[in-house]
Amino acid sequence: MTQASANINIMIKAARKAARGLLRDFGEVENLQVSAKGPGDFVSRADLKSEETIRAELMEARPNYGWLGEESREAKGADPTRRWIVDPLDGTTNFLHGLPHWAVSIALEHKGEIVAGVIYDPVKDEMFVAEKGAGAWLNDRRLRVSGRREMIAMLFATGVPFAGNPTLPQSLREIAALNPQTSGIRRWGAAALDLAYVAAGRFDGFWERGIHPWDMAAGCLLVREAGGFVGPLDEGAGIFETGSVVAANANIFETLTRTLRSV
Ligand code: IPD
């Protein structure tokens, strides 16, 4: 990013600091103390430490802002218009299985709108950054969504529900409907990175249901700032309210949304 704002610099610093701890823990993943959070969804000690690190950094720099984090949930700030939305470890299942595809995601919301976002993948040392009106960046490179037009040439990503989630049949129907019309569909297990990859033109689109604001807040800004479109997959309300999201390059967004909604 050419001219990063003070908030972006704070977010990058917090993400890097948390990532150093996560990388160390990733190196000895078999020794981590793991506690069950719910069916199929585990929180590691590393996850909790990462959130504490990020929270301490952000709160020291901006003590008035509110907070919404995956592990410690919500805290109102003295400034009710601003809050951090943080996933300290997106791709937890990958992390626990030793798969090198996970990230830290930090977003800043102002008056209900995401205005800054940072997603850091420390294994690949990829820092995705976006600020409203200032574009989306990967390290020092400006990002644009892909320019593909034909769905048959496109590569999509999604999330597949697990652990008895009742939306699994719907998800499988969507994949079955879309797959024959595309170049392929990936399930890489980190929604924040899926969205960052749409912003980077690596994926042409992404959709998922049942995800949380911390999974998608920073990623959605990245897609928009890279020239892509983002909206709710389930009609009627916004992405945070429905927990459903579809993101894609501008050429295919409507067709993708329509196709998925018709399944
Ligand atoms: C999960 C990942 C996964 C997505 C799940 C999320 P977490 O986040 O982003 O790709 O399919 O819906 O909950 O639990 O690893 O932070």
Side-chain angles (χ1 to χ4, degrees), residues 41 70 87 89-92 187 189-191 208 211 215:
D41 188 6
E70 182 177 18
D87 191 342
L89 174 56
D90 183 52
T92 315
R187 196 296 185 240
E208 185 165 354
I211 62 173
D215 296 316

